[in-house]
Amino acid sequence: MSAALLQYLFSGLTSGAIYALAGLGFAIIYNASHVINFAQGEFIMIGGMASATMVAAGVPMPLAIVLALLIAMAVGVILEKFAIEPARNADVVTIIIITIGASIFLRGAAQIIWDKEFHSLPAFSGENPIAVLGATLMPQSLWVVGVAGVVIVALWWFFNRTMFGKAMLATSHNRLAAQLVGVGVKKVLLASFALSALLGAVGGVVVTPITFTNYEAGIMLGLKGFSAAVLGGLGNGTGAIVGGLIVGIVEALASGYLSSAYKDAIAFIIILFVLFFMPNGLFGKRGTDRV
Amino acid sequence: MATLLEISGLTSHYGRIQAVKGIDVTVQEGELVALVGANGAGKTTLLRCISGVQPVTSGSVKFAGEDITRMSPEGRVALGISQSPEGRQVFGPMSVEDNLRLGAYRRSGAAAIKADMDRIYEMFPILHKKRDLPAGTLSGGQQQMLAIGRALMARPRVLLLDEPSMGLAPLLVAEIFRTIVTLKEAGTTIFLVEQNANAALAIADRGYVLETGSVVLTDQGQALLANEKVKEAYLGL
């Protein structure tokens, strides 16, 4: 394998891991409510901006990170409580438009609370590149991929091994039946926003040392997470992870071998391709129900 | 016998269409009460109102003397109102065992839940055999058993059954009705909603006949079976 290819793969896996986390965020909210939350990218931005500005203000990094995650979750909960829940009888398209409004609001709020500058976090374990077969790997990339991996395993455990996780899954499969066994669907919806915000913010925190962040960093990351979710099959967790990695790697290869000018176009080309040729995505719903 | 479920003057709408037009129904503790009627008579709407998943326009639902008309669906499950819905509504991609376990979502006490699950498996051995398979891969009859089993896992004080015989082969219908009789004999209070009036009234203590959203007849199950009007309209005799 050529060193250049390996280099592109490293960089693709790193951004792919972030897209996967964002894609999972989309999937979780979609499953709970059939809403596509276009404020998902803003959770990533809040995670990055909150941790970066707190560290710059002298807060120890671990504490700043924990606080940033809590802030993002609180924003997710507030968004659900005050923007989504009051509109719960509106149709899904209306609610999706509400989330677009919320994303614009959150970007505006970030400009006022913080500023319009770029911010960064120090890398978690130094800046000394690791040489691998002629390519170089930044230690922070390992953090990104490692943290994403841990988060994915934790999510798997939550949805397959805890009663509340199973109840959330059950709600996505059959909302009426979930209500009839006593699952509080309001609580499920609230939890889905908190969880999605957490996932986004984790991604935002670990990627900020590499990419920097500013008040509108969430737009692109969110849209790429969305294309990851669509590629994988909306609402499918495995699909979002695979979709995220594919979007990240294709993007890195295209900017390496074609031109980095096309980098941001890749995600949108993928969305169009999926919508035209495989609207259910890679892992889209296959019928296991018998009528 | 104490009155467990008491529905008075209940009305409910879908948009501007009134599906339930002032229904009075009571279910005593230990009773098996059947509600029969044609398609679209409002049977399912009534059950959904009782479970709290369909808004009530006016009237009230009382459970063990407590007014629960405005209570959340999950609160009603916790009180002991459990429903096996029309069309089974199993959690298709989840395992049979997870479906049953979710039936006990409002309960605590792992040992008691496990014991109840074993009891359900004893009642429906096929569910035990297929416990690790996705519920969506079961046959219609097996899914019906699973839906009833899931509702029983809540340890209901009243079990609501919506069209348990719908879409099943005659042999399976007989098996499901035998199960319902067994449950009743074990002391479970059951409110059974059926289009299959013949089978339902034959096993019911009392019955109600519903027509376009209103109760038009009520009597002992056997008496309704013998009633000329019922025979003509619902039993095809």
Side-chain angles (χ1 to χ4, degrees):
Chain A
M1 206 176 347
S2 81
L5 177 62
L6 195 61
Q7 190 68 57
Y8 300 145
L9 286 181
F10 283 158
S11 124
L13 280 177
T14 308
S15 25
I18 301 300
Y19 304 156
L21 289 183
L24 281 171
F26 278 104
I28 289 167
I29 289 181
Y30 179 80
N31 278 339
S33 61
H34 284 238
V35 165
I36 295 158
N37 170 34
F38 279 108
Q40 185 65 34
E42 274 54 49
F43 295 146
I44 305 178
M45 177 272 288
I46 290 170
M49 287 291 275
S51 55
T53 50
M54 277 190 281
V55 168
V59 180
M61 188 144 78
L63 178 63
I65 290 173
V66 171
L67 288 175
L69 299 183
L70 290 177
I71 290 170
M73 283 173 84
V75 170
V77 166
I78 290 168
L79 174 64
E80 197 281 333
K81 216 60 207 151
F82 294 102
I84 309 297
E85 206 186 298
R88 68 181 174 281
N89 293 324
D91 51 77
V92 167
V93 177
T94 310
I95 300 179
I96 291 174
I97 293 170
I98 291 175
T99 69
I100 296 175
S103 75
I104 297 170
F105 172 81
L106 289 174
R107 285 201 289 280
Q111 280 182 66
I112 295 168
I113 295 171
W114 296 301
D115 51 35
K116 295 185 186 178
E117 307 305 316
F118 277 91
H119 295 266
S120 184
L121 270 176
F124 296 178
S125 44
E127 309 263 2
N128 296 329
I130 306 161
V132 185
L133 301 171
T136 53
L137 184 59
M138 297 304 289
Q140 190 65 25
S141 288
L142 292 178
W143 274 101
V144 171
V145 175
V147 166
V150 168
V151 166
I152 287 165
V153 170
L155 271 186
W156 182 90
W157 177 84
F158 174 70
F159 281 114
N160 289 286
R161 289 286 178 271
T162 71
M163 247 358 249
F164 188 63
K166 285 181 183 181
M168 285 182 77
L169 273 187
T171 307
S172 78
H173 297 316
N174 192 324
R175 191 185 178 83
L176 172 71
Q179 286 180 298
L180 290 178
V181 299
V183 176
V185 292
K186 267 191 197 172
K187 216 195 247 173
V188 165
L189 197 56
L190 205 58
S192 74
F193 271 83
L195 196 54
S196 295
L198 177 64
L199 289 184
V202 166
V205 167
V206 290
V207 82
T208 293
I210 300 176
T211 60
F212 303 155
T213 186
N214 74 345
Y215 73 99
E216 51 182 21
I219 301 178
M220 269 305 156
L221 289 170
L223 286 173
K224 286 173 185 174
F226 176 63
S227 56
V230 171
L231 174 61
L234 208 49
N236 183 301
T238 318
I241 297 164
V242 175
L245 295 179
I246 292 177
V247 171
I249 289 172
V250 172
E251 187 182 87
L253 292 179
S255 55
Y257 288 117
L258 299 173
S259 156
S260 56
Y262 294 128
K263 180 171 174 267
D264 285 338
I266 294 300
F268 303 107
I269 293 171
I270 289 177
I271 291 190
L272 290 178
F273 178 83
V274 170
L275 292 180
F276 282 135
F277 299 109
M278 37 191 271
N280 291 328
L282 293 173
F283 297 80
K285 268 212 174 87
R286 285 187 202 100
T288 47
D289 284 321
R290 211 185 270 207
V291 184
Chain B
M1 273 194 298
T3 302
L4 201 51
L5 192 60
E6 186 177 2
I7 295 149
S8 349
L10 192 87
T11 63
S12 180
H13 292 73
Y14 289 105
R16 287 168 57 194
I17 298 161
Q18 192 172 36
V20 170
K21 304 170 179 168
I23 289 182
D24 299 297
V25 165
T26 56
V27 179
Q28 312 286 326
E29 208 149 5
E31 245 187 339
L32 197 178
V33 175
L35 179 81
V36 300
N39 219 348
K43 305 187 297 294
T44 295
T45 310
L46 176 63
L47 276 199
R48 289 188 176 184
C49 289
I50 299 173
S51 282
V53 292
Q54 160 76 20
V56 168
T57 318
S58 64
S60 71
V61 180
K62 280 189 186 152
F63 183 75
E66 184 187 352
D67 189 335
I68 58 163
T69 318
R70 303 278 163 233
M71 189 182 269
S72 69
E74 62 267 26
R76 299 181 202 215
V77 176
L79 276 185
I81 301 177
S82 183
Q83 180 178 160
S84 158
E86 182 183 14
R88 277 82 81 168
Q89 316 282 351
V90 296
F91 303 116
M94 304 179 84
S95 73
V96 167
E97 182 136 334
D98 276 349
N99 269 266
L100 288 176
R101 181 61 189 80
L102 279 162
Y105 185 69
R106 282 281 133 198
R107 293 173 52 196
S108 51
I113 291 172
K114 182 77 189 54
D116 283 358
M117 198 179 289
D118 290 341
R119 222 162 39 84
I120 308 276
Y121 283 148
E122 220 170 279
M123 198 184 312
F124 305 115
I126 187 73
L127 294 185
H128 184 256
K129 210 173 130 201
K130 302 200 165 186
R131 62 189 182 279
D132 294 324
L133 294 178
T137 62
L138 301 183
S139 74
Q142 292 159 358
Q143 288 192 14
Q144 187 59 60
M145 293 170 194
L146 179 56
I148 294 176
R150 185 180 62 188
L152 286 171
M153 285 299 293
R155 280 222 179 151
R157 291 179 66 192
V158 60
L159 175 65
L160 311 175
L161 296 174
D162 196 351
E163 302 271 11
S165 77
M166 192 171 68
L168 299 186
L171 222 60
L172 280 170
V173 173
E175 187 179 342
I176 294 290
F177 275 97
R178 264 200 306 279
T179 308
I180 297 171
V181 171
T182 312
L183 288 172
K184 181 215 152 45
E185 280 164 358
T188 314
T189 308
I190 300 173
F191 187 40
L192 168 66
V193 160
E194 260 297 339
Q195 267 190 68
N196 187 342
N198 217 345
L201 292 174
I203 60 169
D205 296 317
R206 288 187 304 115
Y208 293 85
V209 178
L210 200 63
E211 236 169 57
T212 58
S214 309
V215 173
V216 291
L217 268 177
T218 170
D219 208 332
Q220 305 295 314
Q222 296 298 333
L224 282 176
L225 264 184
N227 185 303
E228 288 303 324
K229 265 163 68 189
V230 176
K231 273 186 182 170
E232 206 175 304
Y234 300 102
L235 305 179
L237 297 174

